[in-house]
Amino acid sequence: MVMRTEVAIVGAGPAGLLLAHLLTRAGIESVVVETRSQEYVASRVRAGILEQSSVDVLTAAGLGDRLRAEGHEHRGVYLQWPGGRHHLDFVDLTGRSVWVYGQTEVQKDLVRAHGGPVVYEVTDTALHDLTTDHPYVTYTDRDGVGRRLDAAVIAGCDGSFGPSRAAVPQSARQVYERTYPYSWLGVLADVAPSTDELIYAWHPDGFALHSMRSPTVSRLYLQVPNGTDPQTWPDERVWSELAKRLGHGQDGWTLTPGPITEKSVLPMRSLVQTPMRHGRLFLAGDAAHIVPPTGAKGLNLAVADVARLAPALTALLRGNDPARADRYSDDALARVWRCTHFSWWMTTMLHATSDPFDAQLQLSQLRWVTSSRAGATGLAENYAGLPL
């Protein structure tokens, strides 16, 4: 069976649904196809920090009401190492804040707002004729029926392991990648956060992060070796190690433990595929780039990509003006590489290695960032997000 739309979007995560929503508002038809079930996509626990630019994009798209009612605006973060905790006030430094609002909540808002067609639980997705004016997507639906979706443009928003990134021939792409020698053990806990803002903690035994999802749910991370089995970390060990690395008892601060409801290990890597366009295929979000979560940039980069791509496709399809579409990859990659560098910088500054020389460099860098307004402003500008 053959269907036709203006934009075929592969992937129904935040990037794909936000693009579909923005295109609908511009009067452009799209169809979204997704390998996973709607329930699976909605329940994936991912990013929890929205930079100011992302909040601005979502608000302008009519998606800011629940974010501002239920999200939590944060002025900054704490940087810590044994014996010291220092607050960086982003608002004071740059006039920009961040919001704690989980990706699952953004996904809920997008599902409620987007009334267009989304086809879940498809298999055998493949992209064809990308360098012609008539690209198309084939897939098998949940009933086992083969489908073909013709479009003027295809948007690949299906993550780093989806078919879109792989559809670009090796001769037409360049991949830059860095795998880090450590992972994060992440836990969700049904306990009120023990801090008002995120704590990024350097410790000789490994990095730790105290984040949050709501006033009653905490999100915490520990640096662990690659290949760690979360089953080797019982709850008692998790809380003991978090208390040590986060400075329980330091200056009267206490870490309150609680029931852990989820436990997983997240490998750390950076990846950028260039260009982010191949013919009539445009890549956005994790389909084009991956960053370690230390800088809180993954979801925010996806939003920034889509904020550029939607008007570019609108100009191409409605105004017969290809200029913005032709610039899309270069414009998006400028921000991607800035955020990739920032994520690498935060990661290498905060994660312990076995080299004592590295440790002294890291501590020197932390002291500089927390004592120099110029250093603090640089971190704040990147973390809160440069304007689009």
Side-chain angles (χ1 to χ4, degrees):
M1 179 179 292
V2 178
M3 299 179 291
R4 178 155 187 86
T5 190
E6 292 184 275
V7 180
I9 301 174
V10 184
L17 285 189
L18 179 58
L19 178 60
H21 178 71
L22 294 177
L23 292 175
T24 297
R25 289 168 64 91
I28 294 176
E29 295 180 352
S30 67
V31 174
V32 185
V33 297
E34 168 61 47
T35 300
R36 303 288 191 173
S37 68
Q38 182 174 352
E39 294 73 23
Y40 178 91
V41 176
S43 64
R44 285 184 296 196
V45 177
R46 293 290 189 270
I49 301 295
L50 293 178
E51 62 183 39
Q52 185 66 57
S53 297
S54 297
V55 173
D56 294 344
V57 169
L58 294 171
T59 301
L63 300 166
D65 290 348
R66 197 166 73 91
L67 188 164
R68 294 186 179 277
E70 300 180 19
H72 299 275
E73 187 175 15
H74 282 208
R75 293 183 62 96
V77 297
Y78 295 101
L79 291 182
Q80 176 179 306
W81 58 93
R85 179 180 295 171
H86 305 266
H87 185 251
L88 300 186
D89 191 311
F90 299 162
V91 177
D92 176 57
L93 292 164
T94 69
R96 296 166 69 79
S97 62
V98 297
W99 286 73
V100 174
Y101 193 68
Q103 178 172 316
T104 52
E105 303 308 311
V106 174
Q107 186 75 15
K108 290 176 187 176
D109 295 340
L110 287 165
V111 168
R112 290 168 182 161
H114 180 60
V118 182
V119 185
Y120 290 95
E121 299 179 64
V122 307
T123 56
D124 306 318
T125 306
L127 287 62
H128 309 270
D129 291 355
L130 300 176
T131 56
T132 75
D133 292 336
H134 304 285
Y136 64 97
V137 177
T138 57
Y139 62 91
T140 303
D141 69 17
R142 72 181 74 183
D143 297 320
V145 178
R147 306 279 184 175
R148 171 171 165 160
L149 178 60
D150 290 353
V153 167
I154 299 174
C157 304
D158 48 341
S160 62
F161 299 109
S164 297
R165 186 165 72 88
V168 181
Q170 288 189 357
S171 60
R173 70 186 190 225
Q174 177 72 51
V175 178
Y176 304 87
E177 190 168 9
R178 170 71 52 86
T179 300
Y180 297 88
Y182 32 71
S183 299
W184 279 8
L185 173 68
V187 301
L188 271 178
D190 282 340
V191 62
S194 299
T195 178
D196 58 335
E197 295 187 332
L198 277 69
I199 303 172
Y200 285 80
W202 181 94
H203 191 277
D205 291 342
F207 168 75
L209 170 62
H210 191 325
S211 184
M212 61 281 292
R213 285 295 178 268
S214 75
T216 59
V217 177
S218 295
R219 182 72 164 158
L220 306 108
Y221 299 94
L222 288 165
Q223 177 186 342
V224 295
N226 287 341
T228 293
D229 180 354
Q231 298 303 316
T232 63
W233 281 80
D235 294 3
E236 296 79 6
R237 182 186 181 193
V238 169
W239 287 115
S240 174
E241 197 65 23
L242 283 167
K244 177 176 66 175
R245 299 187 194 183
L246 289 170
H248 175 80
Q250 180 177 301
D251 297 326
W253 180 80
T254 59
L255 174 67
T256 303
I260 293 177
T261 58
E262 181 182 298
K263 200 179 297 179
S264 60
V265 170
L266 175 66
M268 308 280 281
R269 67 180 180 131
S270 297
L271 182 147
V272 180
Q273 177 167 307
T274 65
M276 290 172 59
R277 177 187 182 180
H278 177 66
R280 285 290 179 123
L281 169 64
F282 295 80
L283 301 178
D286 288 359
H289 42 73
I290 299 290
V291 291
T294 325
K297 289 294 162 229
L299 174 59
N300 292 297
L301 270 178
V303 172
D305 288 348
V306 170
R308 283 190 174 88
L309 183 56
L313 296 183
T314 301
L316 178 67
L317 298 174
R318 286 292 179 269
N320 196 29
D321 179 2
R324 295 184 73 167
D326 291 343
R327 296 197 311 268
Y328 166 71
S329 180
D330 288 343
D331 290 349
L333 282 169
R335 190 184 192 92
V336 167
W337 278 116
R338 172 86 300 275
C339 292
T340 298
H341 177 267
F342 176 67
S343 299
W344 166 86
W345 181 75
M346 288 282 287
T347 300
T348 55
M349 178 173 66
L350 288 162
H351 288 74
T353 73
S354 58
D355 187 340
F357 186 80
D358 285 347
Q360 294 305 312
L361 292 178
Q362 290 168 328
L363 289 169
S364 176
Q365 189 161 262
L366 284 164
R367 294 187 187 103
W368 171 70
V369 168
T370 54
S371 62
S372 162
R373 187 172 181 88
T377 300
L379 189 153
E381 283 183 344
N382 284 275
Y383 197 103
L386 300 171
L388 287 171

